[in-house]
Amino acid sequence: METLANNYSHIKGWGIDADPKNDPTYPMRNRAAEDTKSYDWQRPTQQPIDIEVHHSTERPNVSAVFGTSVPPSGLSGMLRRYAFKHPENQYGRWLPMLLADRINVVEGIIEDFKTGKVPNIIAEKGMKADWQHNRSGVVKKAAVAAFLVAAVVAWNMGKKSRD
């Protein structure tokens, strides 16, 4: 350990926690008792549950504290309800959650328009910084989006001419 510490001693603060005798969590954390005690600590007071709260099927109870600002609603909420019926290690849990996040973005934009607010999508997505630091990526994204829009328009136009 000593030779490794000397190799990186020029980095300020490097290896400060490498010495087990200098454990910054001592005396708060007793490492010897960790194997036998897992859930014997005093649980914090439960936040009142007055909205729908999802929690894992693998845990017996809801977290003591949780967010209440955006309860699940709409199509994204339905997908989240479906996802939380599955264990955390399955695609049936995470793929619907990812899809629900994307759908929730669209629902938020629609809600903004309903309330009379025009969302600044360019600023909210960080496109200005993306343009400054990753122009080739922005150009590729724009080209793919333009191709997809053109393909959908061409498909619709061909469908209309066939009818």
Side-chain angles (χ1 to χ4, degrees), residues 50-154:
D50 53 1
I51 63 165
E52 181 182 6
V53 178
H54 294 140
H55 73 284
S56 174
T57 58
E58 298 167 0
R59 292 185 172 77
N61 43 25
V62 179
S63 299
V65 179
F66 48 85
T68 60
S69 64
V70 186
S73 64
L75 180 59
S76 63
M78 289 171 42
L79 279 169
R80 290 179 203 283
R81 284 182 205 96
Y82 170 79
F84 272 91
K85 292 178 183 176
H86 293 84
E88 292 182 7
N89 64 336
Q90 292 184 354
Y91 285 125
R93 166 74 169 257
W94 296 108
L95 292 179
M97 292 287 281
L98 289 170
L99 183 60
D101 287 344
R102 274 41 174 203
I103 290 172
N104 192 247
V105 169
V106 175
E107 289 173 340
I109 291 169
I110 292 169
E111 185 65 30
D112 283 347
F113 280 121
K114 279 184 182 177
T115 58
K117 179 185 176 215
V118 178
N120 186 355
I121 295 172
I122 292 173
E124 291 173 4
K125 297 285 284 176
M127 290 182 185
K128 182 179 176 186
D130 209 13
W131 179 253
Q132 287 176 344
H133 302 288
N134 185 19
R135 285 191 187 191
S136 63
V138 172
V139 170
K140 287 177 189 175
K141 287 179 192 175
V144 168
F147 174 77
L148 290 175
V149 168
V152 168
V153 168

Side-chain angles (χ1 to χ4, degrees), residues 9-39:
S9 60
H10 64 283
I11 300 172
K12 184 178 179 180
W14 187 90
I16 197 165
D17 59 348
D19 184 5
K21 296 174 196 154
N22 183 24
D23 185 353
T25 61
Y26 179 85
M28 295 176 285
R29 183 173 179 185
N30 181 2
R31 293 181 191 270
E34 282 184 11
D35 293 340
T36 59
K37 299 177 182 178
S38 61
Y39 202 63

